Amino acid sequence: QVHMVESGGGLVQAGGSLRLSCTVSGSIFSINEMGWYRQAPGKRRELVAHITTGGTTNYADSVKGRFTISRDNTGNTAYLQMNSLKPEDTAVYYCNVSVHFSIGGGDFWGQGTQVTVSS
């Protein structure tokens, strides 16, 4: 069983910053890749940022230079530091994690956290 807790969303003015966190726990053998996705009303869910176990990152073009994804030393928590926020960043942000169990594995989603950027 995988338990995920997301936090850090909220309302911020354009130009402001927020930091999202996603902590994963449960009967997990290892946590592999972690990522943040977002879904705005009427739009498809899209990748925002992704980080591998080795620390390799990639970002959507729309957030490059403004957002930074990282993981803590345990590898169980991922962060998304969001700076210079724009109204178009408004969305529900979801954490995604790829895990291995002692047998098998899978991808799991967090419950989502709302980010609203006012102009």
Side-chain angles (χ1 to χ4, degrees):
Q1 184 139 359
V2 176
H3 187 227
M4 299 174 65
V5 178
E6 296 178 20
S7 63
L11 173 64
V12 65
Q13 288 188 332
S17 299
L18 285 173
R19 188 193 196 205
L20 306 183
S21 65
C22 172
T23 299
V24 183
S25 61
S27 304
I28 300 168
F29 181 76
S30 65
I31 298 173
N32 301 323
E33 302 171 346
M34 299 183 78
W36 288 95
Y37 290 72
R38 66 186 181 187
Q39 188 167 18
K43 295 189 176 182
R44 294 167 56 180
R45 190 172 297 188
E46 63 177 0
L47 174 69
V48 175
H50 174 267
I51 185 168
T52 68
T53 303
T56 300
T57 58
N58 70 286
Y59 298 91
D61 288 342
S62 59
V63 307
K64 283 180 181 177
R66 301 188 296 122
F67 291 11
T68 302
I69 188 171
S70 61
R71 290 170 73 165
D72 71 352
N73 289 338
T74 69
N76 292 354
T77 298
Y79 303 99
L80 185 68
Q81 178 66 43
M82 304 184 294
N83 298 328
S84 302
L85 283 160
K86 304 176 181 179
E88 52 263 43
D89 295 317
T90 296
V92 178
Y93 284 69
Y94 296 92
C95 178
N96 176 267
V97 60
S98 173
V99 305
H100 281 161
F101 303 113
S102 56
I103 299 176
D107 286 354
F108 296 85
W109 293 92
Q111 80 278 7
T113 185
Q114 177 70 46
V115 171
T116 303
V117 185
S118 63
S119 57

